[in-house]
Amino acid sequence: MAKIIVVTSGKGGVGKTTSSAAIGTGLALKGHKTVIIDFDVGLRNLDLIMGCERRVVYDFVNVINKEATLSQALIKDKRTKDLFILPASQTRDKDALTIEGVQEVLEELSKEFDYILCDSPAGIEKGAQMALYFADAAIVVTNPEVSSVRDSDRILGILQSKSKRAEENKEPIEEYLLLTRYHPGRVALGEMLSVSDVEDILAIPLLGVIPESEAVLKASNQGTPVILDTASEAGIAYSDAVDRLMGEERPLRFLDVQKKGFIKRLLGG
Ligand SMILES: Nc1ncnc2c1ncn2[C@@H]1O[C@H](COP(=O)(O)OP(=O)(O)OP(=O)(O)O)[C@@H](O)[C@H]1O
Ligand SMILES: [Mg+2]
């Protein structure tokens, strides 16, 4: 039986797809057979970030509509063993996903995989609700700013009231906070919320803090999940987050303002 993890946020553009690609890759690197499903119907970002866009022939909606089998639609990742991607459809029909259809696909994937990661679309409406409905755990991706924290709080309300686990009065969805695009310098200037500000408001366990990093854009332009850039702070921070997801203890890093080096100070840079 697979564990189903939704990567969600409420607010758009906070780093859900970046995080799904990184964490999915991290789980597979640990030897867990993992599939990442792109629930963002119409946009198809995940396959770009994973660098497999040219290999997409069939997608999630084709499988639901029985136009293709799962094995036809699943794309095997070219770099990481044990990792697969189920791409989103480019249809404009936002109602292409149905609860029954999604359930059938998840049940079939559950037999084969250890982890199913659901990359949610933005918002708190139907598409986002579909992505979280069957989840066992949720990674709530949040940026250190008021509007993002507010929308994360809304999505926590939905996880606790509109998921299958909530409806059936089962053990609640495990919730984890992933704080992304963290900029210690701007936090120190009071322009952004601190880790403890966000923790106080959302009050869920902290899975990790991913620093704002140019490595993320570089990796996504190359179609490589940033966790494979093991020299980058963002890559290392995602790796720590995956370890924590596995129950390992890892201290937080990259939270302090970086002091300018001696040479830079000497040169007045
Ligand atoms: N840690 C980071 N440092 C710098 N840029 C980042 C970081 N995380 C994400 N980004 C950038 O933010 C933008 C949005 O990221 P991403 O597509 O992962 O967000 P999303 O939540 O999936 O968006 P959507 O809601 O549209 O699906 C991208 O340009 C990405 O490169
Ligand atoms: Mg996305």
Side-chain angles (χ1 to χ4, degrees):
M1 269 289 279
K3 182 164 185 173
I4 303 176
I5 305 178
V6 64
V7 180
T8 185
S9 69
K11 190 168 193 285
V14 294
K16 292 179 293 296
T17 304
T18 303
S19 301
S20 300
I23 292 170
T25 302
L27 290 168
L29 285 173
K30 287 187 176 290
H32 303 296
K33 198 169 174 194
T34 302
V35 56
I36 316 175
I37 307 180
D38 190 346
F39 272 77
D40 208 344
V41 172
L43 280 177
R44 267 191 51 188
N45 269 330
L46 179 69
D47 48 84
L48 290 172
I49 290 188
M50 296 298 300
C52 63
E53 70 280 6
R54 287 184 298 275
R55 299 196 185 177
V56 176
V57 178
Y58 295 114
D59 58 55
F60 194 12
V61 172
N62 291 139
V63 178
I64 286 182
N65 292 342
K66 310 256 186 280
E67 293 150 359
T69 63
L70 251 181
S71 55
Q72 284 177 291
L74 283 176
I75 302 174
K76 194 176 180 327
D77 187 75
K78 55 189 171 196
R79 299 180 200 90
T80 311
K81 198 176 145 282
D82 294 322
L83 181 62
F84 291 78
I85 290 106
L86 183 56
S89 166
Q90 271 191 318
T91 170
R92 259 168 291 176
D93 178 10
K94 294 271 175 197
D95 294 325
L97 299 180
T98 59
I99 281 284
E100 298 73 27
V102 171
Q103 176 163 24
E104 224 175 286
V105 171
L106 291 178
E107 277 172 3
E108 207 179 325
L109 288 171
S110 249
K111 295 180 203 150
E112 286 254 348
F113 285 88
D114 301 318
Y115 287 95
I116 302 174
L117 241 65
C118 304
D119 178 18
S120 175
I124 54 169
E125 302 303 325
K126 200 172 158 209
Q129 292 188 20
M130 193 78 80
L132 67 78
Y133 186 72
F134 296 99
D136 302 307
I139 297 176
V140 180
V141 180
T142 309
N143 292 165
E145 51 176 44
V146 173
S147 63
S148 174
V149 175
R150 194 171 46 212
D151 287 358
S152 290
D153 217 7
R154 289 209 178 103
I155 212 76
L156 285 171
I158 298 202
L159 285 165
Q160 292 160 11
S161 60
K162 294 202 161 191
S163 60
K164 186 163 188 282
R165 283 178 174 269
E167 280 178 6
E168 294 177 353
N169 206 15
K170 293 223 173 93
E171 186 84 358
I173 294 181
E174 294 164 37
E175 299 159 336
Y176 301 102
L177 168 63
L178 186 67
L179 197 53
T180 60
R181 310 200 69 165
Y182 197 75
H183 197 302
R186 297 190 60 192
V187 173
L189 290 171
E191 294 172 2
M192 280 189 156
L193 301 173
S194 68
V195 178
S196 59
D197 290 337
V198 181
E199 279 187 295
D200 283 351
I201 301 169
L202 296 179
I204 58 173
L206 182 63
L207 188 65
V209 180
I210 314 297
E212 172 79 23
S213 158
E214 280 174 18
V216 173
L217 187 63
K218 197 172 128 223
S220 87
N221 284 338
Q222 292 173 343
T224 316
V226 70
I227 197 168
L228 295 178
D229 181 353
T230 51
S232 71
E233 291 190 348
I236 296 167
Y238 272 119
S239 207
D240 286 347
V242 174
D243 290 344
R244 292 188 198 102
L245 194 59
M246 300 286 93
E248 291 165 36
E249 298 240 348
R250 290 283 175 274
L252 292 170
R253 337 185 203 192
F254 315 125
L255 299 191
D256 299 322
V257 183
Q258 279 177 4
K259 302 228 168 48
K260 276 188 189 156
F262 174 69
I263 301 285
K264 268 195 181 162
R265 264 185 290 152
L266 203 67
L267 298 173

